[in-house]
Amino acid sequence: MTINECPICGCDEWVRSVEKHRIKYLICSACDALYAENWNDEVVETANDAPEPRSYDSLQSVRLQRLAEHLGRRPRRVLDFGCGHGEYVRFLEARGIDAVGIDRDTPVQIKDIPDGSFDAVNMVEIIEHLMNPGEVVGKLFRSLKSGGIIYVESSFMDHIGDPALSGYVDPRIGHCCVHSRRSMDFLRWRLRAELKWINDNVAVFRKAERV
């Protein structure tokens, strides 16, 4: 699969290229995102879904607290996009929250999700795996109720250092598009959303309240 323009902003100019394991990454001159020009799923050795480090109850509690803070209330219905083994879904359900998980092999897929059906969407270490982030995040955004949020955890170009040396830029773990603050701001503009940064690795898109 060959991409001739940035999958986030559509720019066809790039400032630098990095090649790893036969995959050529380009850094967009407009939004600073890094994306694979010639992606091939066959190079992926692991989805990097390691359940242990990212699914301790203490971490899940922090994520739920952040959802509540940015919603202004406890969420009633949450979509965990890229749910892996379903740890977060079970964590939420155990606390009385209706939760739905989507991953490659789940019965429910993004095409099955009706618009305006969730208070929040959870995306933990997922956005960097999307070859078409604008399309996917756009669909997830439409699945939100008025005032709903998309919670994004990832590592961003602004803080990973030299991509040629960074272990995060590696096709073997399925990373095909590493975002930047500028590319996230472009997504915000495209979604007509509000964007808030919790820290260097966590951002929240918020859908406007319907008047």
Side-chain angles (χ1 to χ4, degrees):
M1 180 179 182
T2 302
I3 294 179
N4 297 316
E5 60 183 32
C6 175
I8 303 164
C9 71
C11 178
D12 61 0
E13 297 182 1
W14 46 276
V15 294
R16 184 183 174 189
S17 65
V18 176
E19 187 161 339
K20 292 189 175 182
H21 305 284
R22 305 185 307 280
I23 298 298
K24 183 178 180 181
Y25 290 100
L26 305 178
I27 300 175
C28 177
S29 64
C31 73
D32 300 332
L34 175 144
Y35 61 95
E37 180 189 46
N38 59 329
W39 186 254
N40 183 349
D41 284 335
E42 292 181 1
V43 77
V44 180
E45 297 176 2
T46 171
N48 195 28
D49 62 352
E52 289 302 320
R54 294 203 292 266
S55 38
Y56 293 132
D57 276 3
S58 58
L59 287 177
Q60 308 292 38
S61 294
V62 168
R63 290 171 183 139
L64 177 55
Q65 181 181 359
R66 288 169 174 170
L67 292 187
E69 287 175 355
H70 286 268
L71 273 173
R73 59 176 172 79
R74 185 181 175 89
R76 290 185 284 272
R77 195 156 194 253
V78 176
L79 171 62
D80 188 18
F81 185 72
C83 64
H85 303 286
E87 296 89 354
Y88 193 49
V89 170
R90 291 191 293 273
F91 173 88
L92 294 173
E93 289 177 336
R95 286 150 183 81
I97 296 171
D98 183 13
V100 175
I102 290 181
D103 216 304
R104 294 183 185 89
D105 56 355
T106 52
V108 177
Q109 291 295 310
I110 192 170
K111 63 180 175 56
D112 305 313
I113 300 299
D115 293 350
S117 52
F118 291 96
D119 298 309
V121 174
N122 187 66
M123 295 179 69
V124 174
E125 294 291 344
I126 292 299
I127 199 168
E128 65 277 4
H129 293 267
L130 303 178
M131 282 298 298
N132 53 343
E135 178 183 340
V136 174
V137 176
K139 172 59 179 172
L140 294 173
F141 195 73
R142 290 192 297 275
S143 79
L144 294 174
K145 298 177 182 177
S146 173
I149 62 173
I150 297 179
Y151 174 91
V152 179
E153 272 188 34
S154 187
S155 293
F156 295 91
M157 288 292 290
D158 313 76
H159 305 290
I160 65 171
D162 186 346
L165 303 177
S166 172
Y168 198 75
V169 179
D170 190 337
R172 296 173 300 174
I173 55 176
H175 290 183
C176 56
C177 186
V178 182
H179 287 253
S180 68
R181 281 188 172 245
R182 287 181 71 184
S183 72
M184 291 288 282
D185 195 55
F186 184 87
L187 283 179
R188 174 205 60 76
W189 172 82
R190 183 171 176 175
L191 297 169
R192 296 183 176 141
E194 179 183 350
L195 174 63
K196 288 189 176 180
W197 288 88
I198 296 176
N199 57 42
D200 288 342
N201 299 100
V202 182
V204 173
F205 292 109
R206 187 172 188 272
K207 195 172 192 175
E209 296 274 3
R210 198 180 302 124
V211 179

